[in-house]
Amino acid sequence: MKILNARRINTIVSMIGYLFVWAPIVVLAIFSFNASAYGVKWESLTIKWYVDLFHTPEIMQAVLRSLLIASITTIFATAIGTLAGYGLYKYKFAGRRFLRMSVLLPITVPYVIMAGALLVYFTRIVHIPLGYPAIIIAHISFSAPLAVFVTLGRMQRINWSLEEASVDLGANTLTTWRKVTIPLLLPAIFASAVLIFPWSFNDFTVTYFVAGVGTTTLPLYLFSMLEYSLKPVLINAISLIFIIMPILLIMLIYLSKARTKHGS
Amino acid sequence: MQGEQDNICIELRNLVKMFPGVTAVNHVNLKVKDREVFSLLGPSGCGKTTILRIIAGLETADEGEVLIGGQVVNEVPPYRRDCNLVFQNLALFPHMTIGQNIAYGLERKRVAKNEIKKRVNEMLEFMSLEAMKDRYPVQLSGGQQQRIALARSLVLKPSCCCWMNPWRHWTEN
Amino acid sequence: MLKLVENRKTWVFIGGLIFALAVSFMGSGLVGSAQAKTYKQYVASLPDGCQPVPRECFEQAVAGKTFAMYDWAAWWPEELYKGFEKEFGIKIVRDNYPNLDEALAKFRLNPKTPYDFWLTNPKSVWYMKNWKLLETVNHDWIPNVNRYLAGDVKEASWDKGYNYTVLTTLGYDAYVINKNFINKDDSRIPSWKFLFEGWDVYKDRLVMRNEMNRVIGNTLKYLGYSLNSTNPKELKEAEDVLVRLKPHIMAFNSWPKRAVMAGEVWIVEGVVHDYLSLGKLAGPENPFVPCYPPKGCLLSPMLVVMPKGGNNPAACHLFLNYLYRPDNFATLINGVAYGHGHTGVNGLIKEKVVKWMTPPEAGYREKCEVLLPPAFTGQGEKLRAAIWEKLKK
Ligand SMILES: Nc1ncnc2c1ncn2[C@@H]1O[C@H](COP(=O)(O)OP(=O)(O)OP(=O)(O)O)[C@@H](O)[C@H]1O
Ligand SMILES: [Mg+2]
């Protein structure tokens, strides 16, 4: 009886937790189909906001820009961060501990300060053109530490004699990386990418400062739009799309996993 | 002095290995002949594992020479040495099936695909583990895992195979 | 998972996706200039009362190919931008800022920020002028502006002789009531007295702007002082008024559209014009009433400036001249319902908009004031910041 009660309490608590997480999303989803622009009260069912969204080329362009920047950032930041995390864990060199501790520095410095510093650095010191190159480099420099951090955490739980076994069985360093190390780090790589993509996609402050002409991303557009636009529901519609996409992705991965399991 | 006709498989000359604070291997000399079963016995921490790791090339010797098949191999990287280890913790690749684990070394040596298949099946049969081919290491018992680790090394037909703590899973067999 | 990663197809797919994204950008960079007019066609096509820019300006603008604009997202009617692109075959590259202070910070940190056109306020203009980051306006290149811009605006306090700026819209920062909740015939309406003392009627359903200089400025106006006052005695009086009002303020929010729509807010201080479009969404009858206090209020001009970093100042002149054509300017005003300083559009503005964008009283503009350096620099700023801090505590 007691166990049952504990279980029930557990279920209820977790239900409440889910409710907190999901309620705003559900409300947002429902009101993105509301004909009233301010969603104060329910008027009638409509998809006009979605139609509007696709007929606002400025928004679509901003979405595309953000997607492009986030994809490139994710690939490079994850790769660089994972390599750096691996090196920091595996190789012993002077200053390693200091480096390991300072990895998170770019994340802890307030964004505005870092953004201003990056702008000055790009324009006055290294002369990297503002716009996509600067945005992507800035994003990588901010998000790669996340990957380092995640990788370091994972490395501690890996059995490193597996790499030695691979070398012993005739694989050179590169093959060992490809066949053993990367698969072992895969959960970390995946987690890093999952963290970095939305981080880069959402970023406002850094992007704002290092953006060049014609690189207004979705967050920049939305913040500017809030000032005068009378179609705030458009934001609901965009948000819903970006909530649904990752859910679909997760489901796809889950399904493909389930299928491979059944297959074997 | 050994007779010339005796084929020496592994020879260690004056091997020294030092770790910060300990001398793990202190001037060791030994010879192992072909087809000989040679055991290193000693108290825990006396340097047995270290010797085997040096032979396999995973550790470099501070002094002395390692010879495999009469050749000094001190400078040869581990993946080119004709010598395989069975690790203390077995080190089976968790993300590969048993079949893939055994095939791993052969694939690295670029053996033909059907040849790999044949030899893997032979090896599994030899270890009477045919049924396990498509399972993952976690789905095996400790003794079975140990046999797979051995099979993974032996399938390469190395001139020597070093086995650490072979009795670890003995009780289960 | 591993299968997905090892599978070459996955990577080909991701690579392809990114490539497609990249290509779609390159594609969007090309604008069809087939319909673009030659200078002769352009001159011939102008409606009555409009003058062309000189040939030199036209040719430089077209040769520049692109026109980089920095303004608010989703505010001005899109057809203004589209029409310009189509008429001249010049590609408009538009970026948007979240607010003008951040935009100003960007110019400060990178003086070469290459925008040809920046829509901004007098405060930024003052700073940009001080930093020597503004290009001067070539009056010979904007005949329509010269012709239609009102005389008092040409000599306005923020830029006498319009040497650095061209006015687009004028926002009247006064207050708006919801007549469903407040009797619009209250004798105190539309004076400031109602906003600052009428809480018996509006029952604390008041929202003030979340901007120090504007709130304190309008309080000074209510007291009959200049909103750029630096006199400690006058500011102390303003402080007392605001401290008295504070318990009746629901929130400080510069654009509380949702709460206003929901009827949670009955009276709101802000740019009155914004509530016309909002009212249209409220139903068949607009419940909002703009109130222009007879003592005057804060005026928010939106000014076009040309930052020094711009690559195509000729295009900016061409655009300004295009914008000041009465038909185009009417498009702008009908879209945003803001006040303005254009003398040639009166017959072209929709009746409903006219009611909203113009104060009922002739010559009202002269009673209004713009925020000037005394308010946002030095002593004036310090005194205001101290009041604001007390208010927000
Ligand atoms: N990487 C290392 N760094 C420092 N010291 C080490 C390292 N590897 C081994 N040692 C030390 O070298 C000595 C020999 O270790 P080794 O693992 O060879 O012992 P062993 O004979 O295999 O012991 P056991 O029977 O317990 O496995 C030990 O004192 C150990 O602490
Ligand atoms: Mg040992």
Side-chain angles (χ1 to χ4, degrees), chain B residues 44-45 47-50 88 164-165:
Chain B
S44 175
K48 305 178 295 286
T49 303
T50 308
Q88 202 153 331
M164 306 181 197
N165 287 26

Side-chain angles (χ1 to χ4, degrees), chain C residues 130-245:
Chain C
N130 273 0
W131 300 332
K132 305 209 173 359
L133 290 181
L134 287 186
E135 207 71 72
T136 49
V137 173
N138 182 348
H139 291 149
D140 297 339
W141 284 6
I142 45 170
N144 290 337
V145 178
N146 301 336
R147 170 163 182 191
Y148 290 116
L149 192 61
D152 63 320
V153 175
K154 283 181 177 166
E155 292 306 315
S157 51
W158 60 81
D159 179 25
K160 285 206 167 52
Y162 66 116
N163 289 318
Y164 295 93
T165 66
V166 172
L167 175 75
T168 58
T169 57
L170 272 172
Y172 288 90
D173 206 318
Y175 70 96
V176 170
I177 58 164
N178 187 329
K179 66 180 176 198
N180 293 345
F181 301 104
I182 293 174
N183 176 10
K184 67 178 165 49
D185 300 323
D186 190 298
S187 63
R188 289 170 290 187
I189 294 174
S191 76
W192 282 121
K193 204 174 162 81
F194 182 73
L195 185 130
F196 285 100
E197 292 169 22
W199 53 75
D200 53 306
V201 173
Y202 61 69
K203 306 267 188 299
D204 304 354
R205 304 291 193 118
L206 163 70
V207 167
M208 300 285 280
R209 287 190 77 122
N210 193 13
E211 278 160 85
M212 169 176 102
N213 287 330
R214 289 168 186 265
V215 169
I216 297 172
N218 274 336
T219 314
L220 288 163
K221 268 327 241 189
Y222 156 63
L223 293 167
Y225 304 130
S226 159
L227 57 76
N228 291 308
S229 166
T230 52
N231 181 339
K233 211 184 100 250
E234 292 172 6
L235 280 160
K236 177 71 184 119
E237 270 181 66
E239 179 184 329
D240 294 341
V241 168
L242 284 168
V243 167
R244 198 153 31 93
L245 184 65

